[in-house]
């Protein structure tokens, strides 16, 4: 455990283990017989106590003791019920059994949980519990079970958070490498901050002292991780936004669009709930729309979402005429929009754009020509063409959202920390020090300008992650993911940087499906994608030849109609789950991935299945499958593609893409015209 090599058992050890196992089996047999027959006699409980002392992790044995405890209390005589000493005797016996178990194993979940359950019944001395805790914590200062129990007892005794905070200080001063003490410190400070206790609120009052405390720890032993984890918590407290804010939208403020039916996307800086008719109004000319329904895109378990979606249709019945409609979206009761932490949004915002409707304009029909996303089908974007108009407006006008100014103390505090850890790395080759510096640099950039990202330190951060991938191959994938996210922040930071990756479809390959321009982020070794708030305008996206295992977050790009994900590391259809939300998607390439290559794909169990409750299981699938076992095996693909109107699909190069699956797709997607480069008849 924890890097300690396992020693080979000697014959003496093996013999002792065999005798112990035989004893446990005998006790277990007797105990289970008593348990099944609801026998709670003194002899039965003694057998149970011996079993627990031999094996404190036997949870059924602890549950039996709870049943026996309740049975003995409920079957007391009237005299015993009034006798506090008799009740205390029963409780003390339970506590004695727990103490014996803890002597056997300090980290027994069952023992600590049972002791907490017994103490919660009352008639026990919490002072005695504190003395017991002090004994345990002297022998094992980092036992997180004991620290959890200490918080429980402190709550019963109404011990102040300030007094417990001093206890953690003493424990940390005694041993910097006490992760549990650092963690308890973060819990206590969170309580003090939440209650706005004098001396701890606002948070800049205590953060400076906490940074100094943890700096002493990490500079004393840079390779010990305990202090570094606490530093990460401090950094999170420093940069944490004070309230949720709107950071991006589609359509953007001040823009002009020509579609009469279109999606409206509101993108916040953190997941929120409460976006509805009461908190957000949609006005077309002088009419307030009352039939608008907002929904979160990929909501978490708290029904919060960072991106919220609705659709708007402009009613226009006149013929042979043109008209421009003024649309305004604004916050009516912004405090009704609440973050997952319960913080309301106090920012008031308004988005205004125009919808130009012309009945003389006849949109071209759905293209039947196969669309290719290869180099020869693209040309350099002409910055003077009308193709660039909406793209430019998105970046020039998106900054009109009113943003709260960053606190000066945050910038100064993070700048000071950057200087300190640059100094540390000048004399210590420390992996976690490099990681912390990278996080500090990104935090420093993020604090300055919340809408237009500051990329002052991006190159240095990318270099740090590159070095970490070489220094620490065990955590290579984590560093690779962070590198990818930082790189995309750099790409999406301005229209100038994005233009380097944009290509214009040649006239012969352009269509109303793809739009005139494609964002090509192919062959960049990306393992994660992000910065979606800067990409809401994208209609055509090329992410081919990367290392993506999933496309989480892509659901925010509601205009997306053409998507190339070929030659990545997508291992299951459920990794494509965000596609369910992209109702405009017409062209999709998922060829040459790893779908079906994993015999047991554990990632699928993190997503929806007919037996899970993460998503509503579509009952229509049963009707669609009609008992066909071959089709039943494709429920994952059905859940992803079933609601889409895809015209062109490439799946070749995946283990799952056999002939049965292709027939399934043809049946599932009636609009499909091209499958793996061949026209569907």
């Amino acid at each position: 455990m924890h890097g300690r090599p396992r020693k080979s058992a000697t014959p003496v050890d093996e013999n002792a283990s065999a005798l112990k196992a035989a004893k446990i089996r005998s006790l277990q047999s007797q105990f289970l017989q008593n348990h099944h027959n609801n026998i709670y006699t003194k002899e039965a409980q003694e057998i149970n106590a011996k079993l627990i002392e031999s094996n404190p992790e036997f949870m059924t044995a602890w549950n039996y003791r709870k049943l026996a405890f309740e049975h003995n209390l409920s079957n007391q005589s009237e005299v015993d019920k009034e006798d506090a000493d008799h009740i205390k005797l029963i409780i003390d016996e339970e506590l004695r059994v727990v103490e014996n178990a803890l002597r056997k194993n300090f980290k027994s979940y069952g023992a600590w949980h049972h002791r907490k359950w017994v103490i919660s019944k009352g008639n026990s001395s919490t002072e005695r519990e504190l003395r017991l805790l002090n004994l345990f914590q002297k022998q094992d200062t980092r036992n997180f079970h004991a620290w959890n129990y200490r918080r429980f007892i402190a709550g019963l005794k109404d011990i102040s958070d300030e007094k417990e905070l001093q206890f953690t200080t003493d424990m940390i001063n005694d041993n910097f490498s006490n992760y549990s003490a650092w963690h308890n410190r973060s819990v206590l400070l969170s309580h003090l901050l939440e209650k706005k206790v004098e001396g701890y609120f606002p948070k800049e009052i205590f953060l400076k002292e906490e940074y100094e405390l943890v700096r002493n720890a990490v500079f004393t032993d840079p390779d010990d991780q305990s202090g570094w984890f606490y530093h990460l918590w401090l950094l999170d407290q420093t940069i944490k936004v004070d309230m949720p804010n709107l950071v991006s939208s589609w359509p953007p403020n001040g823009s002009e669009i020509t579609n009469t039916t279109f999606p409206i996307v509101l993108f916040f800086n953190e997941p929120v709930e409460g976006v509805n008719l009461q908190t957000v109004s949609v006005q077309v000319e002088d009419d307030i729309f009352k039939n608008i329904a907002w929904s979160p895109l990929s909501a978490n378990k708290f029904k919060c979402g960072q991106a919220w979606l609705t659709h708007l249709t402009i009613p226009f019945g006149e013929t042979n005429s043109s008209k421009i409609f003024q649309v305004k979206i604004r916050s009516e009761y912004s405090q009704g929009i609440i973050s997952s932490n319960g913080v309301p949004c106090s920012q008031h915002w308004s988005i205004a754009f125009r919808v130009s409707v012309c009945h003389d304009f006849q949109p071209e029909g759905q293209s039947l020509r196969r669309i290719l996303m290869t180099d020869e089908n693209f040309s350099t974007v002409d910055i003077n063409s009308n193709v660039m108009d909406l793209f430019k407006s998105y970046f020039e006008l998106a900054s009109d959202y009113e943003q709260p100014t960053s606190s000066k103390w945050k910038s100064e505090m993070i700048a000071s920390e950057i200087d300190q850890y640059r100094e540390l790395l000048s004399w210590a080759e420390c992996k976690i020090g490099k990681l912390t510096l990278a996080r500090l640099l990104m935090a420093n950039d993020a604090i300055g300008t919340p809408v237009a990202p500051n990329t002052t330190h991006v190159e240095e951060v990318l270099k740090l992650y590159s070095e970490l991938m070489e220094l620490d191959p065990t955590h290579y994938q984590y560093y690779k993911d962070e590198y990818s996210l930082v790189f995309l922040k750099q790409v999406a930071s301005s229209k100038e940087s994005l233009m380097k990756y944009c290509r214009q479809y040649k006239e012969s390959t352009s269509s109303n499906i793809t739009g005139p321009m494609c964002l090509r982020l192919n062959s960049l070794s990306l393992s994660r994608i992000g910065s979606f708030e800067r990409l809401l305008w994208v209609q055509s996206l090329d992410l081919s030849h990367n290392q993506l295992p999933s496309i989480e977050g892509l659901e925010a790009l509601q205009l997306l109609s053409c998507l190339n994900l070929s030659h990545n590391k997508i291992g299951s259809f459920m990794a494509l789950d965000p596609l369910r939300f992209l109702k405009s998607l017409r062209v999709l390439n998922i060829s040459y991935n790893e779908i079906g290559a994993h015999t047991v794909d554990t990632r699928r169990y993190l997503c929806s299945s007919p037996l899970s409750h993460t998503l509503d299981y579509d009952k229509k699938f049963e009707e669609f499958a009609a008992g066909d076992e071959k089709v039943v095996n494709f429920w994952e693909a059905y859940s992803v593609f079933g609601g889409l109107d895809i015209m062109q699909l490439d799946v070749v190069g995946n283990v799952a893409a056999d002939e049965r699956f292709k027939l399934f797709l043809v049946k599932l997607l009636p609009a499909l015209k091209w499958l793996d480069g061949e026209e569907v008849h």
Side-chain angles (χ1 to χ4, degrees):
M1 187 176 181
H2 302 301
R4 297 177 184 175
R6 186 186 296 273
K7 296 181 180 179
S8 300
T10 65
V12 175
D13 293 334
E14 291 178 351
N15 185 54
S17 296
L19 291 174
K20 179 181 177 181
K23 177 184 176 183
I24 290 176
R25 280 195 295 269
S26 175
L27 290 170
Q28 183 172 297
S29 177
Q30 297 176 69
F31 155 69
L32 290 175
Q33 184 177 358
N34 291 331
H35 188 21
H36 292 159
N37 292 301
N38 299 323
I39 298 174
Y40 303 117
T41 62
K42 182 179 180 181
E43 292 75 14
Q45 290 184 61
E46 287 176 354
I47 291 172
N48 171 271
K50 291 178 182 178
L51 177 59
I52 282 176
E53 189 173 344
S54 299
N55 181 16
E57 297 305 318
F58 193 5
M59 297 301 295
T60 303
W62 289 112
N63 291 335
Y64 169 85
R65 292 206 71 84
K66 292 178 177 64
L67 293 173
F69 181 89
E70 298 285 5
H71 174 82
N72 291 334
L73 286 182
S74 62
N75 285 278
Q76 295 179 102
S77 65
E78 292 300 323
V79 175
D80 287 340
K81 287 181 180 179
E82 300 297 327
D83 187 356
D85 290 337
H86 180 76
I87 296 174
K88 186 175 181 300
L89 193 65
I90 297 175
I91 290 175
D92 287 344
E93 173 61 19
E94 291 303 304
L95 297 178
R96 184 191 66 80
V97 172
V98 174
E99 286 181 32
N100 289 338
L102 289 175
R103 289 190 181 95
K104 186 77 173 180
N105 180 7
F106 280 177
K107 298 181 179 180
S108 169
Y109 283 85
W112 285 107
H113 185 271
H114 190 70
R115 193 172 192 89
K116 187 176 180 179
W117 182 83
V118 172
I119 292 296
S120 66
K121 298 295 181 182
N123 294 293
S124 300
S125 169
T126 51
E127 192 63 43
R128 177 176 178 274
E129 294 303 296
L130 269 183
R131 290 197 299 271
L132 178 68
L133 274 170
N134 289 333
L135 289 174
F136 275 120
Q137 289 185 298
K138 282 182 180 179
Q139 296 188 48
D140 186 357
T141 59
R142 294 183 290 186
N143 188 327
F144 71 90
H145 297 281
W147 282 95
N148 286 338
Y149 189 66
R150 185 180 188 91
R151 285 192 290 273
F152 168 69
I153 294 298
L156 290 180
K157 285 182 62 62
D158 201 23
I159 300 174
S160 69
D161 289 333
E162 293 96 322
K163 186 174 180 180
E164 282 297 288
L165 189 66
Q166 182 58 50
F167 179 78
T168 67
T169 304
D170 295 339
M171 296 293 280
I172 289 168
N173 288 336
D174 186 57
N175 180 10
F176 280 136
S177 184
N178 191 336
Y179 176 83
S180 295
W182 288 111
H183 172 257
N184 199 50
R185 192 172 187 85
S186 69
V187 172
L188 293 167
L189 285 171
S190 296
H191 291 167
L192 292 167
L193 190 60
E194 184 179 347
K195 292 184 288 188
K196 298 183 179 181
V197 175
E198 184 178 356
Y200 298 91
F201 185 86
K203 57 187 174 184
E204 57 265 32
I205 293 175
F206 73 85
L207 280 175
K208 185 176 180 180
E209 293 181 357
E210 292 302 304
Y211 274 120
E212 291 176 358
L213 175 64
V214 75
R215 193 180 305 132
N216 290 333
V218 298
F219 272 63
T220 301
D221 185 2
D223 292 325
D224 184 83
Q225 296 185 11
S226 302
W228 290 108
F229 279 113
Y230 185 68
H231 187 278
L232 178 60
W233 179 80
L234 290 178
L235 179 59
D236 181 63
Q237 296 303 305
T238 305
I239 65 175
K240 183 183 291 184
V241 294
D242 297 323
M243 61 181 176
N245 296 304
L246 183 72
V247 295
S248 180
S249 72
W250 181 266
N253 185 47
S255 62
E256 182 173 327
I257 61 175
T258 57
N259 306 71
T260 56
T261 298
F262 52 90
I264 299 175
V265 179
L266 302 179
F267 203 102
F268 294 84
N269 59 347
E270 61 177 317
V272 298
E273 63 178 336
V275 178
N276 51 47
L277 284 173
Q278 286 70 45
T279 56
V280 177
S281 67
V282 178
Q283 180 177 341
V284 180
E285 296 296 323
D286 296 325
D287 296 328
I288 302 292
F289 275 45
K290 297 295 185 182
N291 59 342
I292 294 293
W294 292 95
S295 60
L297 287 167
S298 191
N300 60 24
K301 64 181 180 179
F302 300 109
K303 304 301 181 183
C304 295
Q306 196 166 4
W308 284 75
L309 169 71
T310 191
H311 287 84
L312 183 64
T313 298
I314 302 294
F316 186 56
E318 300 177 28
T319 58
N320 300 320
S321 62
S322 301
K323 186 174 181 179
I324 295 179
F325 291 84
Q326 302 291 334
V327 181
K328 181 175 286 187
I329 304 167
R330 61 187 175 192
S331 57
E332 294 295 334
Y333 176 59
S334 58
Q335 290 192 341
I337 300 174
I338 302 172
S339 73
S340 56
N341 295 321
V343 179
C345 173
S346 60
Q347 168 208 32
H348 293 280
W349 44 264
S350 178
I351 304 164
F353 56 90
R354 296 178 299 279
V355 180
S356 178
V357 179
C358 179
H359 269 288
D360 292 333
F361 172 71
Q362 297 295 327
E364 60 179 282
Q366 294 282 338
S367 172
L368 299 181
R369 184 176 61 250
R370 186 171 180 236
I371 295 169
L372 299 175
M373 300 179 74
T374 54
D375 293 342
E376 57 268 21
N377 293 292
F378 293 103
S379 61
T380 304
V381 177
D382 181 1
I383 60 174
N384 296 316
S385 69
N386 56 8
V387 172
M388 293 296 297
D389 291 344
L390 193 57
F391 175 78
K392 289 178 180 178
S393 71
Y394 185 80
F395 286 90
E396 291 171 0
L397 299 168
S399 59
D400 287 350
Y401 303 120
E402 180 185 350
Q403 294 293 329
T405 55
S406 298
S407 301
K408 183 180 178 182
W409 69 266
K410 291 184 178 183
S411 301
E412 292 177 348
M413 198 168 287
I414 290 178
S416 174
E417 288 299 294
I418 289 173
D419 292 339
Q420 295 289 339
Y421 290 100
R422 285 195 197 282
E423 178 189 345
L424 172 67
L425 293 175
S426 68
W427 55 266
E429 184 68 20
C430 177
K431 294 178 291 187
I432 198 165
K434 287 179 181 287
L435 177 59
T436 299
L437 179 59
R439 289 168 171 165
L440 285 166
L441 292 170
M442 289 305 297
N444 187 73
D445 285 356
I447 283 178
T449 49
V451 173
N454 176 11
T455 58
T456 303
H457 297 103
V458 162
E459 289 297 336
E460 183 179 358
V461 172
L462 292 174
K463 182 181 178 183
L464 285 167
Y465 280 124
S466 296
E467 292 173 357
L468 284 166
M469 281 186 265
E470 293 184 10
L471 285 172
D472 188 13
T474 303
H475 301 101
Y476 175 90
Q477 193 57 54
Y478 172 79
Y479 302 134
K480 181 67 176 174
D481 290 349
E482 292 300 304
Y483 183 100
S484 299
L485 293 175
V486 173
F487 177 78
L488 284 176
K489 281 183 181 292
Q490 182 184 43
V491 170
S493 62
S494 67
K495 63 178 183 294
E496 290 78 18
S497 58
L498 263 171
M499 279 301 299
K500 298 176 183 177
Y501 298 91
C502 289
R503 294 294 180 268
Q504 189 170 329
Y505 282 97
K506 290 181 179 178
E507 190 172 343
S508 60
T509 56
S510 177
S511 76
N512 63 311
I513 294 177
T514 64
M517 194 164 60
C518 178
L519 178 60
R520 303 199 73 196
L521 299 175
N522 57 309
S523 303
L524 296 174
S525 297
L526 300 176
S527 59
R528 279 191 70 185
I529 48 177
S531 298
F532 300 109
E533 72 278 8
R534 310 284 293 173
L535 304 175
L536 301 182
W537 54 273
V538 175
Q539 285 182 262
S540 186
L541 178 61
D542 185 359
L543 289 168
S544 63
H545 295 86
N546 282 300
Q547 300 170 18
L548 298 172
S550 74
I551 55 171
E552 183 181 359
L554 204 65
E555 61 273 7
L557 310 191
Q558 283 296 300
L559 300 186
L560 202 59
S561 58
C562 188
L563 176 61
N564 188 355
L565 293 168
S566 65
H567 297 87
N568 274 284
K569 294 187 176 181
I570 296 169
S572 70
F573 287 110
M574 294 317 299
L576 298 169
D577 188 60
L579 296 181
R580 293 187 303 111
F581 298 92
L582 301 178
K583 302 304 182 183
S584 297
L585 193 63
R586 298 293 179 267
V587 178
L588 175 64
N589 189 341
I590 55 172
S591 62
Y592 299 100
N593 274 277
E594 301 174 4
I595 301 173
H598 306 282
T599 305
V600 179
D601 184 7
T602 55
R603 286 169 290 187
R604 67 183 288 181
Y605 300 112
L606 300 177
C607 304
S608 171
S609 80
L611 301 179
S612 75
H613 302 283
T614 54
L615 294 170
D616 292 332
Y617 178 52
D618 194 341
K619 297 297 183 182
K620 293 181 180 179
F621 178 63
E622 297 176 1
E623 181 181 339
F624 177 83
D628 187 343
E629 292 184 4
K630 296 178 181 179
V631 174
V632 170
N633 291 332
F634 300 136
W635 67 265
E636 291 175 314
Y638 178 89
S639 67
V640 175
F641 300 131
L644 301 180
D645 196 20
I646 295 176
M647 298 175 60
Q648 178 179 314
L649 178 61
D650 291 275
V651 297
V652 67
N654 291 286
V655 173
D658 55 16
E659 288 303 315
R660 291 183 308 141
F661 181 64
K662 292 179 182 180
L663 291 173
F664 162 79
L665 290 174
V666 172
K667 179 181 178 181
L668 178 65
L669 304 170
L672 194 63
K673 300 293 188 274
W674 294 90
L675 179 59
D676 286 338
E678 297 181 0
E679 195 167 357
V680 176
H681 299 286

